[in-house]
Each structure stands twice: as structure tokens, then as C-alpha cells.
Amino acid sequence: MLGSVERSLQGNQELRWSILCMSCIAMTGVYFSFDIPAALHQQLKDYMSTATANSGSSFSVKFNLLYSVYSIPNIILPFFGGAIVDSLGAHMAVLLFSMFTLMGQILFAIGASRKSWTIMLIGRIVYGFGGESISVATSTLNNTWFQGKELALSFGVTLAVSRLGSVANNWLSPLVANEHGTDVAIWLGVGMNCLSVLMAAGICWLTVRVDSREGSGAEEQERIENHMLTEALLSSDDLELENEIHRDDEQVDQQEQEETRYGEDVLSQDGDYSGGHGECDLSEVSTVVTNNNSRQILDEVVLSTGSLPSSSLSCLSHISTFGSMFWLISLSCIVVYGSVLPFNNIASGILLERNYFTTPPKQCHLRYEGQCSQGDLVKVFNDVIDYDGNECDLGINEQPVLPTSIHIQGGADISSDWDNDSYSFDNLTENDVDCGDPFWKKSCTADFCLAQKRATEKSGRVMSIPYLLSAILSPFCGHIVDKIGKRAIIAALASIILICVHLSLALMDSSPVIPLVGQGFAYVCYAAVIWPSVPLTVKEESIGTAFGAIVAIQNIGLALFPLVIAAIYTASDEKYIPNVEYFFVLCAILGTGVGVILNVIDGKTGRTLNKVHRQNE
């Protein structure tokens, strides 16, 4: 395949850009659907309220499980993903993994339509089988089509466009959910995954077309050469023909012997893992890492191209030889990403609670507390007053006041559009209000649902800031790191920025925009330095195993941390501020401590991480 691609590049420079374009679109769909739960945090909370109540556990636990179960397969898959790509070919692997994400999203959407947490969780597990591994395949695809020319650019473009999928999701999904229903927004993700599969199929078609065209060309060339040889033989006399045939037979025999010896050499190099340096040879798969430094290794997902050889399992014994710097980097990945990625999962909920949908003052209540606040059922204007009977002026980001109780029984007042036949709540709270139900949205609490709609859409836009910065700055940050080094120093500084970010979110009530800009900047800088540091801490023949190990370790943290966050949230009377933010501060503090130790050890061992590594090193 690679030889065909190299020949094709000589004759068609535009084909590889078509491959890159389709690869980017495929990854955009994958990122879009992966982040749908985060963008629909409040909508899922309302929509799944009945299912959550019947499940015996809190919404926070169920919601965070959507991310924990996704990470579970990826504790194991990094040790097999590269082998699967090598076995099937990158183009077929992209198609396979995109189909896994499509099947997972379909199950997730079916579960949402049936309001079944169990089916939704199964869908996220299936999604996990393809969601990370497709990054391995697309990165290998880039390495195949752009090897030796514009490789760093191809990785930077893939990462940037892929992250725009997350941004688009944060903007579009709340809007679609508010206008057409939460289940419709989730099915929109199925459409995006269908687009990913379509692009993957296009990649396969182009690749097969290249192979078949190159194969036809080779056959035609061989036919012409045989025809010329036949004419030459026919023009000679019988003796010369006999001698020519005899010489040809000798050449064929010699060629067959050489091919036999070559095949034995190949088998001895690739098939014998009994010992020696050849038991874990990553000279080919490590090309991306060692020859192009950090510009293409910009994000935990793209970098988990963790290209492992087909002998991945035989290389696991190398883990015991990894030094302290590798394990410090692994620990740093767990705690620093623990303050970034799990935060992104619940960012919408945090922003609603902290900034855009805050609890109204306790002294404010409806004049008629047992009646609907606004909508078709309101017969008399039900304004908001304080204990003294004066008008209570609520802020633009404060929740409208809800009735204290509601009792609407079956009868003439029941609308056919409502989800239920009766609504009876002795102590009504915001958790009881499902703004996807026309009863609440149009008939009883229209003001509350309208304010929630605006707040969720605004929080979706604001929570996109880190991903938007990642899409814009990643290629530039990687390029700067290549020029200046200072990897361990930048990793420690990124952790310090994250401490400031989460402390400000926990203790201040100012706009979240500046903290989220800091989060995005720290996220980009950290990803640009931590992944290129891995090859610098292990032997070259162990690079693939090292990436597999560190990605698996990272996913252990990403599986556990959401459950820890759910426990903290539940213990804090279902409030994110400040205790959940304190957890993120703790993770960032640990990351800073690990970063300091990493710099000390690096200074004592030749400044491997902090010095500049040239292309020929």
C-alpha cells in the first residue's frame, strides 16, 4: 500500500489533500457526538428525570458514568489499536472505527428516545471502542500520505478541524434540544457519525482506487516488457535462442534463491520475537514522533496515535524498564488532565449554577405561590414579591421564581400535548421541571423555561472557549516548543495556571470568560509538551509500548474521576461550587508538584526534556 501511495504522490499531489479533507470531516463527526452529553447537561437532567428517579441513583452519577464507561475500553485498547491498524491498513481501520462510533451513537440515541440509562451507557461503551482508536488510524493515514512532506501541517490541520466539531456541538446541540427536543439533538449526533462513516468510505474508495490503478499500471508495464523480449528472441537463431533461454533459467533460479533468502531474513526479523533487539522494533511506527518533534503531537487524542506494532503484547515486558521520568509524566497526565477533561464534561452545569442560571434570593416568591407563574394556565398575573409585599427585581442571570406547589389533575385543563395526565408536587423544585414537556414550557412555567433556554445556549457558547483556543493555537504552540524546548517547565507552568483558573471559579463570581481562556491556554500548552516528552524518556524500541501504557494510565484516571466528581456533587447538596472546583484545584496542585519534581530530575539527567532537540537527534 505504501509503495502505491508513494508512486501516486508523484503523479497526483492533490489526492492526498482530498484524503486529509475527508479525514478531518470524519474526525469532526466523532468529536461532535462524543461531547453531546456535556453540551446537553441541563437538558438531559430534565429529560431523564423520571428515568433517573426510577433508577435509584442520582442524575450526577448516571451522567458521569457516560464518560467513565467510555474510558474503560480505552484502558486496554491502546495496546491493540496500532496492531489493528497495521493489520487492516489505515483506510480500513478508519472505516471500522467510524462504524463503531456510529453504532455506539445509535444505541445512545435509542436509549435516549426510550429514556433508558442502561441502553445509553451501552452505547457509550461501544462508542469508546472506536472513539479513541480512530485517532490512531487517521494519524497513521496522515503519516502514510504526508510522510516526508508537510506531515506536521497535516496533523495540525486534523487536530484543529476536529476540535471545531466539539465547538459546533456546544453551539448547536443546546439550540436543537431547546427547539425540537433533547432526543432530536442526540439523533443529530447520529447524522454526524453517518457523515464520518461516509467520509471513511470515501477514503477507502480512493485508497483502493490508487492500489488498483498502480496494479494495472504495473501489469501493463510487465506485458510490454514481455512482448519486447519475445520479439528479440524470435529475431535470433536457434542457438542464440537456446543460450538465451538457458541464461534466463539461470537468472530465474538465482532470483528465486535471492527471494527465498530475503523471505527468510524478513521472517527472522519480523516473526521471531524470542529475544534480541528485534523483539520490539518500532523504527517504522516511531517515525512520526522522532523525526517531527512535537508539532503534530498536540493533543491527547491525536497523540494517542500511540502507534503500537503488531507485536504489542510481546513488548509489554519493556514497561518494567521505564525510568522515573516516564512514570512522573504518566502521573502528571492523570492529575493535570483530571483538572481539564472532567471539567469540560460538566462545564455547562458549573456555568449555569455559577453564572447564567443562579438561584434567586430566598426572600423572593410568587404572589400566589401555589399557582403557575406564566403560561396558558395562568388566569391572574402572578408577580414576584418579597416578604414585605414589594416587587422583587431579579437579575438577568437569576432563575425566575417557581411555584412552591402544583396540583393539576386530569380533566378539562389537560392538554393533549402534555407528557402526563396529571402534575402534582407538594414541594416543587427546579429538578421537577422538565422544560421539554409542553406543560412546563408553555402552560405553567414558561418564564422559567425561556430563561433556562437562553442560559443553556449561552453556557454552551462560553464552554467552547478552551476547545476553540485548542483548535487555533495548537499548531503554533507545538512549533514554539520545537524551537525553545522547556517541556518540563511549561508543563509545570500550565498546572499553575490551572490552579488559578479553578480557584477563581470556586471563590469569585466574576465572568467565567477569562478563567476559561486560561484553561484553554494551559490545555494547549500542556498537550504540546507532555506527549512529545514521552519518546525522550524511553528507548527508541519501546516508544510504542510507552505511548500505549501512558494512554491506558490516562484513561484509568478519566474513568475514575467522573465518579469522584459525582460523589462530591451529591455530598455537597447537588452543588458544583465550590467543592467540585476544589477537587480540580487539588488535581492541579498535584500536577504542579509532579512538574517541579520532573524539572529537578531533568536537571540532574542532562536536561533531556528542557533542551531543544534538533531534527537529526
Side-chain angles (χ1 to χ4, degrees), residues 67-128:
Y67 287 94
S68 291
V69 299
Y70 171 89
S71 296
I72 289 174
N74 294 295
I75 297 173
I76 305 298
L77 281 178
F79 296 105
F80 297 93
I84 294 173
V85 173
D86 291 342
S87 175
L88 297 178
H91 59 295
M92 291 300 298
V94 170
L95 180 59
L96 172 66
F97 294 135
S98 66
M99 292 181 69
F100 267 111
T101 61
L102 174 59
M103 290 187 292
Q105 186 63 19
I106 289 175
L107 285 173
F108 184 69
I110 291 173
S113 297
R114 299 182 61 180
K115 296 189 176 182
S116 169
W117 280 111
T118 301
I119 299 176
M120 293 169 71
L121 290 169
I122 292 174
R124 292 292 285 184
I125 293 174
V126 175
Y127 203 97

Side-chain angles (χ1 to χ4, degrees), residues 183-195:
D183 54 339
V184 175
I186 294 174
W187 280 102
L188 175 62
V190 173
M192 294 298 293
N193 285 112
C194 285
L195 181 62

Side-chain angles (χ1 to χ4, degrees), residues 13-81:
Q13 293 292 328
E14 295 180 359
L15 183 60
R16 60 201 182 107
W17 294 108
S18 298
I19 295 287
L20 179 62
C21 180
M22 289 189 288
S23 176
C24 289
I25 296 174
M27 290 302 298
T28 298
V30 171
Y31 275 63
F32 184 99
S33 294
F34 169 75
D35 284 318
I36 281 179
L40 299 181
H41 183 276
Q42 183 63 46
Q43 289 87 345
L44 280 171
K45 185 177 182 180
D46 294 346
Y47 181 77
M48 299 295 293
S49 57
T50 302
T52 302
N54 295 335
S55 69
S57 59
S58 67
F59 169 77
S60 180
V61 171
K62 294 295 188 182
F63 178 84
N64 283 284
L65 273 173
L66 294 176
Y67 287 94
S68 291
V69 299
Y70 171 89
S71 296
I72 289 174
N74 294 295
I75 297 173
I76 305 298
L77 281 178
F79 296 105
F80 297 93

Side-chain angles (χ1 to χ4, degrees), residues 15 21 67 98 116 120-121 125 163 169 187 214 325-326 390 404 406 413 481 486-487 493 512 517 541 588:
L15 183 60
C21 180
Y67 287 94
S98 66
S116 169
M120 293 169 71
L121 290 169
I125 293 174
R163 274 304 179 200
N169 164 68
W187 280 102
E214 293 299 329
M325 290 183 68
F326 171 82
N390 299 319
T404 57
I406 286 292
D413 289 335
V481 170
K486 313 298 183 186
R487 294 168 183 82
L493 291 176
V517 169
E541 62 267 23

Side-chain angles (χ1 to χ4, degrees), residues 140-461:
T140 305
L141 200 66
N142 285 347
N143 190 46
T144 300
W145 285 91
F146 289 86
Q147 188 173 39
K149 185 175 183 180
E150 297 165 328
L151 179 62
L153 175 63
S154 71
F155 274 86
V157 170
T158 301
L159 173 60
V161 176
S162 299
R163 274 304 179 200
L164 291 178
S166 298
V167 174
N169 164 68
N170 291 339
W171 283 61
L172 290 177
S173 292
L175 184 63
V176 174
N178 290 332
E179 294 295 332
H180 304 287
T182 302
D183 54 339
V184 175
I186 294 174
W187 280 102
L188 175 62
V190 173
M192 294 298 293
N193 285 112
C194 285
L195 181 62
S196 295
V197 172
L198 184 62
M199 292 298 103
I203 291 171
C204 286
W205 180 78
L206 284 178
T207 304
V208 171
R209 183 183 178 188
V210 168
D211 284 343
S212 61
R213 185 170 59 193
E214 293 299 329
S216 299
E219 291 176 0
E220 178 66 17
Q221 181 66 25
E222 183 178 359
R223 188 190 65 79
I224 293 174
E225 291 175 354
N226 289 338
H227 178 71
M228 293 175 63
L229 177 61
T230 300
E231 288 185 344
L233 290 174
L234 290 175
S235 63
S236 61
D237 56 32
D238 292 342
L239 180 59
E240 289 175 340
L241 178 60
E242 243 178 70
N243 292 335
E244 184 68 27
I245 293 175
H246 180 67
R247 285 194 297 271
D248 286 345
D249 289 341
E250 289 179 345
Q251 289 175 0
V252 170
D253 291 340
Q254 183 178 359
Q255 183 177 0
E256 288 178 349
Q257 292 174 2
E258 290 176 354
E259 289 177 350
T260 301
R261 286 196 301 272
Y262 174 74
E264 292 172 350
D265 290 341
V266 170
L267 289 174
S268 66
Q269 292 173 8
D270 293 342
D272 183 10
Y273 304 109
S274 59
H277 177 78
E279 70 175 32
C280 194
D281 186 3
L282 295 183
S283 58
E284 178 179 350
V285 299
S286 62
T287 303
V288 177
V289 175
T290 57
N291 290 348
N292 294 280
N293 296 322
S294 59
R295 279 170 288 178
Q296 73 283 7
I297 307 176
L298 307 170
D299 182 88
E300 76 288 351
V301 177
V302 170
L303 201 272
S304 51
T305 72
S307 310
L308 298 179
S310 57
S311 57
S312 299
L313 295 180
S314 68
C315 301
L316 294 182
S317 61
H318 285 213
I319 294 178
S320 62
T321 67
F322 295 163
S324 58
M325 290 183 68
F326 171 82
W327 296 113
L328 284 171
I329 289 175
S330 300
L331 179 58
S332 177
C333 272
I334 291 178
V335 294
V336 175
Y337 278 118
S339 66
V340 174
L341 300 181
F343 170 83
N344 291 338
N345 300 344
I346 58 171
S348 178
I350 290 176
L351 294 178
L352 289 175
E353 178 187 318
R354 180 184 183 273
N355 297 99
Y356 303 126
F357 205 55
T358 61
T359 304
K362 291 183 178 180
Q363 68 270 21
C364 296
H365 60 88
L366 292 173
R367 185 178 297 276
Y368 308 105
E369 297 184 78
Q371 298 183 19
C372 293
S373 58
Q374 190 179 99
D376 300 336
L377 294 177
V378 176
K379 306 303 182 183
V380 179
F381 180 63
N382 199 0
D383 57 338
V384 178
I385 58 176
D386 60 20
Y387 295 140
D388 298 326
N390 299 319
E391 182 180 353
C392 200
D393 192 14
L394 298 177
I396 190 173
N397 290 325
E398 290 180 329
Q399 298 176 8
V401 178
L402 290 170
T404 57
S405 62
I406 286 292
H407 297 282
I408 305 294
Q409 302 299 328
D413 289 335
I414 296 297
S415 169
S416 60
D417 293 335
W418 297 353
D419 289 352
N420 301 303
D421 293 332
S422 63
Y423 297 83
S424 182
F425 299 91
D426 292 326
N427 185 22
L428 184 69
T429 68
E430 63 175 296
N431 292 332
D432 299 319
V433 178
D434 175 10
C435 287
D437 184 347
F439 169 78
W440 303 105
K441 184 177 182 180
K442 297 179 180 179
S443 300
C444 190
T445 57
D447 55 342
F448 181 91
C449 289
L450 179 60
Q452 180 178 281
K453 172 182 179 295
R454 293 171 177 169
T456 54
E457 291 170 8
K458 186 173 184 179
S459 66
R461 293 191 296 269

